[in-house]
Amino acid sequence: MENVLPPANPEANLRDYSKACQSFDWKEVEQEFSWHLTGKVNIAYEAIDRHAEDPTRCHRYCLIYEDENRRERITYHQMRDLSNKFANVLKKLGVEKGDRVFIFLPRCPEYYIAMAGCAKVGAILSPLFEDLMEMAVRERLRDSGAKVLVTTPKMAARVPFTELPDLRNIILVGSGNIVLRPGEVSWEEEIARASYDFEIEWMDLEDPLYIIYTSGSTGKPKGVLHVHRDMVGYLITARWVLDLRDDDRLWTTSEPGWITGTVYGVFAPWLCGVDNFVRGGRFGLEGWCRSIESHRITVWYSSPTVFMRMMEQEKEIAEQCDLSSLRHILSVGGPLPPEVVFWARRFFKTPIHDTWWMTETGMIMIANYPGMPIKPGSIGKPFPGIEAAIVDDHGKEVPPLTLGDLAIKKGWPAMMRGIWRDEKRYQEYFSHEPWYISGDLAYMDDDGYFYFQGREDYQIKVDGAMISTTEVEEALRGYPAVADAGVVGQPDPIRGTVIMAFIALKPGFSPSGELQEEIREFMRRYFSRRLVPKEIEFRPEIPRGEDGAVVRRVLKAWALGLPD
Ligand code: PRX
């Protein structure tokens, strides 16, 4: 029998997965929200004000923030006041329900205050990843017709204000002595003047809450739209997958510019009313471990890259830090090698629980639960109430152990409600109703566990960064001996995914180890180290469909040694 780990915590919130699947009903989760009784909906009320009004919870920390230079603690009670103030600032600038407000900041307390304030006025907020450069910022602000942007004076240099006709105001955080230009206002000054009282804008459950941009297959980013009803999915996944309990202190390491940071770094812990930790600044293993130790983090949601770095430096960490506060650890965003799960079990005394989802799914879809046995290497089983399957090109379910497209039956509460101003691209996800087609390749085993095998389309994630396989293929075709090339991601025990290239040679050239090395050298010299395939295999022909596109599923099967 393969390696199966027993449940990490039989006392978990979700104790009997099979039973929960049989009896699950989203309607029961809805009853936990105040709007179920009052009819007044706004996620900010459920996430902040409700706890602020609860004497047992109002003094918990909705934000414990630290970076190299700054430490701050904000209770739910204080956050109610601060977000009210920010909501008043937005109102003063003329922001109305449905207007788009962007946040382009490094992680800092103002980020979180701004998120809550935006939701309170009913604006559609859009968090932007702090490393985006001018072109990407322009594209996103233009596409969404953003009206207000919150940023820093330094990052404002990447915002082409004059080329954005819809953008009326920029709110500058930490503006200090800077002279404000027309349209710019100072966060500090405006917040100081604003009132603590604000009447929350009551919404419809289907009203938009935020847009997160993801890179699309044609290059233009897609604005993935989520609504207030998402909260139903956030609450129950936080409870059953993150296993959050009343006295927990969560750290989700992703920043809000990515969906994990927005959902499980902000809204989900807030809905549960637990302590929520955020560390600003760049990744540094030592500082990160110190944060876990000094803040006694109990639940930690991070990424395979972080865990693999820890595994490499386990000795140093063990000598320097006490990480024994960690009760439950989870991963997302890329393949989590089985070795890392086994290592974690020894090192942390608890394995890492992999979770699978996407910006478009809005909440965790498939997961390893602390009350269920883990098969390391598997992303786990569908969340109760979620129906997942592996389907073929026609949307037909395929038998276990067959590679296909990972699909989810349409209609869960946190599913995206649209691609901003692009109905056609939204519909592309639903070409085989009732399935939402994820674009990820996977298979399911006989016990219903799912195994991620890479992206079907042109993108692969290598060391956490998206790489375009078409970019690599084009580069490879530039080498004189190469007639055609097809590239896929190949699971790798250490790096998660590596680039694997299949190459068809021109007549007169024959496969050899030297030729492989020459091709790699060509890639290194003329393109980038990042695009160099780790594995190269020669084939007589690269499979292409009628439209001329590389049939990646066949390449993937070759890479995995499965029948094509
Ligand atoms: O390819 C899958 C990969 O990340 C993609 C979604 O990326 P994004 O929208 O940025 O959201 C990331 C976090 C929710 C998926 O299509 N991915 C996500 N989780 C896993 C994963 N790949 C392997 N294993 C996972 N657990």
Side-chain angles (χ1 to χ4, degrees):
M1 173 159 160
E2 77 239 68
N3 277 314
V4 179
L5 300 179
N9 187 349
E11 298 302 306
N13 286 336
L14 177 65
R15 289 182 202 185
D16 190 334
Y17 170 80
S18 309
K19 204 165 134 200
C21 289
Q22 280 158 20
S23 59
F24 188 80
D25 185 353
W26 292 109
K27 290 259 169 297
E28 276 178 33
V29 186
E30 290 180 5
Q31 289 175 17
E32 303 215 19
F33 294 93
S34 69
W35 46 260
H36 181 71
L37 298 172
T38 62
K40 289 177 165 180
V41 175
N42 190 311
I43 193 169
Y45 179 78
E46 307 293 333
I48 305 287
D49 292 35
R50 193 164 53 110
H51 305 309
E53 291 161 10
D54 173 355
T56 65
R57 208 141 277 278
C58 63
H59 298 302
R60 296 291 298 276
Y61 295 109
C62 83
L63 187 67
I64 301 174
Y65 177 85
E66 85 175 2
D67 62 30
E68 293 298 321
N69 309 307
R70 189 172 173 190
R71 284 170 170 235
E72 249 171 78
R73 286 176 176 237
I74 302 178
T75 63
Y76 283 91
H77 191 268
Q78 291 165 327
M79 184 57 101
R80 176 185 57 188
D81 292 352
L82 290 167
S83 55
N84 277 355
K85 272 176 167 278
F86 185 68
N88 279 316
V89 173
L90 290 178
K91 274 275 169 213
K92 188 176 146 195
L93 296 176
V95 172
E96 312 242 344
K97 180 175 171 177
D99 284 343
R100 274 76 63 208
V101 175
F102 273 61
I103 308 175
F104 184 40
L105 289 172
R107 265 172 287 210
C108 60
E110 289 79 5
Y111 206 131
Y112 300 84
I113 297 166
M115 288 180 84
C118 281
K120 281 188 170 175
V121 291
I124 307 175
L125 75 100
S126 188
L128 284 185
F129 176 46
E130 78 167 289
D131 283 349
L132 291 184
M133 298 314 282
E134 181 172 327
M135 214 168 83
V137 174
R138 181 197 293 121
E139 206 169 20
R140 286 158 173 76
L141 290 169
R142 264 226 186 114
D143 181 66
S144 66
K147 194 166 179 181
V148 170
L149 170 77
V150 188
T151 189
T152 65
K154 197 167 156 215
M155 290 168 77
R158 282 181 259 154
V159 183
F161 198 177
T162 51
E163 296 167 40
L164 297 162
D166 296 318
L167 188 63
R168 291 220 214 127
N169 293 104
I170 295 186
I171 304 175
L172 291 173
V173 175
S175 44
N177 297 327
I178 283 180
V179 181
L180 299 169
R181 293 174 297 181
E184 291 178 345
V185 299
S186 150
W187 171 286
E188 284 81 353
E189 284 171 20
E190 296 299 325
I191 286 281
R193 274 190 223 129
S195 160
Y196 285 109
D197 296 318
F198 184 78
E199 179 59 33
I200 289 185
E201 182 78 42
W202 299 113
M203 311 291 287
D204 188 273
L205 282 165
E206 289 296 312
D207 278 338
L209 171 64
Y210 64 88
I211 300 172
I212 288 197
Y213 280 87
T214 76
S215 48
S217 52
T218 58
K220 187 174 172 281
K222 299 186 209 180
V224 177
L225 182 70
H226 285 281
V227 302
H228 281 255
R229 193 193 293 274
D230 278 33
M231 68 176 107
V232 177
Y234 300 170
L235 178 77
I236 193 68
T237 48
R239 210 177 272 160
W240 285 0
V241 187
L242 273 59
D243 199 36
L244 289 184
R245 310 187 197 161
D246 277 355
D247 51 358
D248 269 320
R249 183 165 285 181
L250 171 72
W251 181 16
T252 297
T253 61
S254 170
E255 63 176 283
W258 303 113
I259 189 89
T260 311
T262 287
V263 176
Y264 296 101
V266 182
F267 291 121
W270 287 1
L271 288 168
C272 295
V274 298
D275 286 352
N276 190 39
F277 175 76
V278 171
R279 189 181 160 98
R282 299 277 168 196
F283 170 70
L285 204 48
E286 195 191 327
W288 279 36
C289 290
R290 291 223 180 284
S291 287
I292 296 176
E293 176 180 67
S294 58
H295 294 283
R296 309 293 302 154
I297 304 298
T298 56
V299 181
W300 196 33
Y301 196 9
S302 195
S303 69
T305 327
V306 170
F307 297 126
M308 285 190 269
R309 290 278 288 280
M310 288 185 101
M311 195 166 98
E312 279 165 18
Q313 295 181 38
E314 98 168 75
K315 263 218 181 85
E316 295 89 315
I317 299 170
E319 278 163 19
Q320 290 165 1
C321 300
D322 169 11
L323 305 180
S324 61
S325 60
L326 291 174
R327 171 175 74 72
H328 185 39
I329 308 176
L330 308 101
S331 174
V332 70
L336 182 67
E339 299 75 24
V340 184
V341 179
F342 288 117
W343 163 78
R345 188 153 168 262
R346 182 172 54 72
F347 186 72
F348 296 112
K349 314 275 180 297
T350 175
I352 298 168
H353 294 77
D354 200 7
T355 63
W356 177 91
W357 58 298
M358 306 171 70
T359 307
E360 292 88 337
T361 70
M363 62 181 241
I364 296 166
M365 294 278 103
I366 298 181
N368 290 283
Y369 310 89
M372 188 182 87
I374 294 181
K375 294 193 187 186
S378 160
I379 52 176
K381 291 191 175 190
F383 190 79
I386 296 294
E387 200 176 318
I390 305 295
V391 301
D392 64 15
D393 289 343
H394 309 288
K396 284 241 153 15
E397 284 184 57
V398 298
L401 303 177
T402 310
L403 193 67
D405 225 314
L406 178 46
I408 311 282
K409 197 167 270 181
K410 203 176 158 178
W412 64 97
M415 189 181 90
M416 65 168 167
R417 297 302 200 276
I419 299 295
W420 187 256
R421 291 181 179 155
D422 203 338
E423 179 63 19
K424 187 167 160 277
R425 283 168 104 194
Y426 177 67
Q427 291 304 339
E428 281 167 10
Y429 289 92
F430 302 99
S431 52
H432 297 295
E433 295 262 9
W435 298 111
Y436 157 82
I437 304 290
S438 73
D440 278 3
L441 288 174
Y443 67 87
M444 188 185 77
D445 70 11
D446 290 320
D447 300 324
Y449 282 79
F450 286 77
Y451 296 78
F452 171 85
Q453 299 295 313
R455 290 278 311 159
E456 178 164 34
D457 62 17
Y458 76 111
Q459 294 181 56
I460 46 176
K461 257 191 194 168
V462 179
D463 290 336
M466 281 292 193
I467 288 192
S468 152
T469 51
T470 41
E471 190 185 352
V472 182
E473 284 160 3
E474 266 168 37
L476 286 168
R477 278 197 292 275
Y479 188 71
V482 175
D484 199 3
V487 165
V488 278
Q490 161 90 316
D492 179 86
I494 304 295
R495 299 178 59 199
T497 305
V498 294
I499 301 175
M500 172 154 201
F502 293 96
I503 287 178
L505 292 171
K506 287 185 183 158
F509 292 92
S510 15
S512 71
E514 288 90 69
L515 189 52
Q516 283 178 344
E517 214 20 69
E518 282 170 27
I519 293 172
R520 285 203 191 94
E521 186 46 37
F522 164 79
M523 294 292 287
R524 261 192 290 272
R525 179 158 334 154
Y526 294 102
F527 297 92
S528 145
R529 182 161 286 280
R530 173 181 90 80
L531 302 184
V532 178
K534 178 151 186 279
E535 307 278 339
I536 294 181
E537 268 188 39
F538 297 106
R539 300 275 161 155
E541 208 178 334
I542 301 302
R544 286 184 178 272
E546 274 171 26
D547 57 356
V550 173
V551 185
R552 285 186 203 289
R553 178 164 312 189
V554 174
L555 301 188
K556 198 76 210 175
W558 285 352
L560 296 168
L562 295 171
D564 56 31

